[in-house]
Amino acid sequence: MTEFVAMGLLPDIAQDLLPDLWAASPEEAIGRAGLLISLYALGVVIGAPTIAGLVARFPRHRVMIGLALALTLFNALTVVLPSFGLVGASRLLAGLPHGAYFGIGALVAADVLGPGRRAQGAAFILTGLTIANVVGVPLGTYLGQNYGWRTAFLLVAVVFAVATLCIALFVPEHEGDRGRGMLSEFGVFRVGQVWLTLGIGAIGFGGFFAVYSYVSPLVTEIAGSPEWAVPIVLVLVGIGMTVGNLLGGYLADRDLQRTLIVGMALLAGILVLLAVLSTNILLLGLLAMAVGAVSAMLSPAIQTRLMDVAGDNQSIAAALNHSALNIGNSLGAFLGGAAIALGWGYTAPAWIGAALALVGLGITVLAFRMQRQAVIA
């Protein structure tokens, strides 16, 4: 919710924090407000490997408590800071603990479920993100539209405070790897397949974020629907993500390569359909749900692929998945916002998303071909 709720509130945020620019050009103001999404994603990209490397040796359940407290504090800052620049700084800070928080949680879940079910363990943790898109993001969007966008982030801070308490009470003790430090964990960056897998997530998943970041104007301006339809479309995306995530964990445990290749190809095709057919609100809703389902299906597969190719560097590999996805978040939000600001229209992000998904498909095919050639050699 902390990551996605801003996407349905960009017009509200732009009107409040960029009033002069909004009066001159609402499209440019919305594009500028999209930088808040990119700043959060940048925080994840920076924080995920750095924090994961620093804390790899410490007990994982205690690390999760500390990270949840940090997420509570930094999201609370978003509620009270007055200007666009300061809110942007708070979004960057809030993104720093994100990747390590979810990455360490995925390691704990994978260990609990055991061999042969690691992707399902990763999917279990990622289900929290998808359920947020069914309940939290639409609720936050509704609250933000009716009571001010800051109320959405107040709800986020409250949820993180409750999550901190729940982790302390219910997550069992889970030791870290006492022999691992930042330098040893950073050895993961010497593995070529790690870079290729990061590229799959960063570029391919950017196709999803290019569209998701600008759902609100797509619904209201292209489909011509009222503002109250935005949370409904977000619920549909969240339902698709929840189903796709669980299905993706199951499929990735059985055939990881096919899940990634078929998923990327489907994502590109659905985004093209969305660009063409989004003038109809019913088709827009169904296609947005399909985009969410296919995108979420890819996430546990990418997480598991990173853990497979990372060797002993499991803590940083689990966190790097979130760096990759948030590079995609930042890239997709930036390119989509730039296209809108340039006057290319609100369907332009869907076309950009399709192109990014096709590039992700190319990287996926390349990665598995190189792996086969290495085995033969």
Side-chain angles (χ1 to χ4, degrees):
M1 186 178 177
T2 182
E3 181 168 16
F4 297 144
V5 74
M7 296 174 179
L9 295 171
L10 286 183
D12 305 85
I13 295 171
Q15 283 182 272
D16 181 37
L17 296 180
L18 301 166
D20 294 338
L21 184 58
W22 177 267
S25 173
E27 286 189 357
E28 188 175 348
I30 290 173
R32 181 81 58 83
L35 290 174
L36 296 179
I37 300 171
S38 298
L39 284 168
Y40 185 94
L42 179 62
V44 179
V45 173
I46 296 170
T50 306
I51 295 175
L54 284 170
V55 303
R57 69 183 66 183
F58 300 111
R60 288 170 177 162
H61 63 289
R62 295 182 185 175
V63 170
M64 289 180 69
I65 293 172
L67 294 173
L69 281 171
L71 285 159
T72 303
L73 172 63
F74 294 140
N75 278 285
L77 287 178
T78 301
V79 179
V80 298
L81 292 175
S83 68
F84 183 79
L86 290 174
V87 168
S90 75
R91 301 316 297 149
L92 178 67
L93 289 172
L96 292 174
H98 175 117
Y101 176 80
F102 285 105
I104 292 170
L107 285 178
V108 173
D111 287 347
V112 168
L113 289 183
R117 299 182 67 195
R118 291 195 306 154
Q120 292 177 67
F124 182 79
I125 292 297
L126 292 170
T127 298
L129 290 115
T130 63
I131 290 175
N133 283 279
V134 178
V135 180
V137 173
L139 175 60
T141 301
Y142 172 81
L143 291 174
Q145 289 174 345
N146 290 276
Y147 301 101
W149 65 269
R150 294 179 190 273
T151 59
F153 289 97
L154 176 60
L155 179 59
V156 169
V158 170
V159 169
F160 266 123
V162 174
T164 304
L165 180 62
C166 289
I167 294 167
L169 292 175
F170 301 117
V171 174
E173 292 191 9
H174 198 285
E175 291 300 317
D177 189 342
R178 295 183 183 276
R180 307 298 297 180
M182 177 176 282
L183 291 179
S184 55
E185 284 287 314
F186 270 38
V188 73
F189 292 112
R190 294 194 295 267
V191 181
Q193 283 290 340
V194 167
W195 285 103
L196 288 171
T197 307
L198 291 174
I200 295 170
I203 298 176
F205 222 75
F208 167 73
F209 286 111
V211 170
Y212 193 46
S213 301
Y214 301 98
V215 163
S216 182
L218 196 63
V219 171
T220 57
E221 303 300 324
I222 300 301
S225 296
E227 195 174 54
W228 56 258
V230 175
I232 296 175
V233 173
L234 292 174
V235 168
L236 291 174
V237 174
I239 291 171
M241 292 180 72
T242 301
V243 174
N245 176 63
L246 296 174
L247 179 63
Y250 174 83
L251 293 174
D253 277 330
R254 279 145 186 81
D255 193 329
L256 183 64
Q257 178 177 336
R258 181 176 296 178
T259 301
L260 284 172
I261 291 175
V262 173
M264 280 293 175
L266 279 175
L267 181 59
I270 294 169
L271 285 168
V272 169
L273 290 176
L274 182 66
V276 174
L277 301 174
S278 57
T279 53
N280 183 298
I281 186 60
L282 294 178
L283 291 176
L284 169 60
L286 291 174
L287 288 168
M289 183 166 63
V291 169
V294 176
S295 300
M297 185 180 75
L298 293 167
S299 189
I302 296 170
Q303 176 88 74
T304 305
R305 174 70 176 169
L306 272 172
M307 293 162 67
D308 286 345
V309 300
D312 294 331
N313 311 293
Q314 291 294 295
S315 291
I316 197 168
L320 279 173
N321 180 44
H322 297 275
S323 284
L325 298 184
N326 278 274
I327 290 174
N329 186 349
S330 183
L331 179 66
F334 172 76
L335 292 177
I340 293 171
L342 287 170
W344 294 356
Y346 290 117
T347 59
W351 291 108
I352 290 172
L356 290 172
L358 286 174
V359 175
L361 174 62
I363 297 172
T364 305
V365 172
L366 175 64
F368 284 106
R369 180 174 295 175
M370 291 177 61
Q371 185 178 46
R372 284 195 302 270
Q373 291 174 346
V375 170
I376 294 172

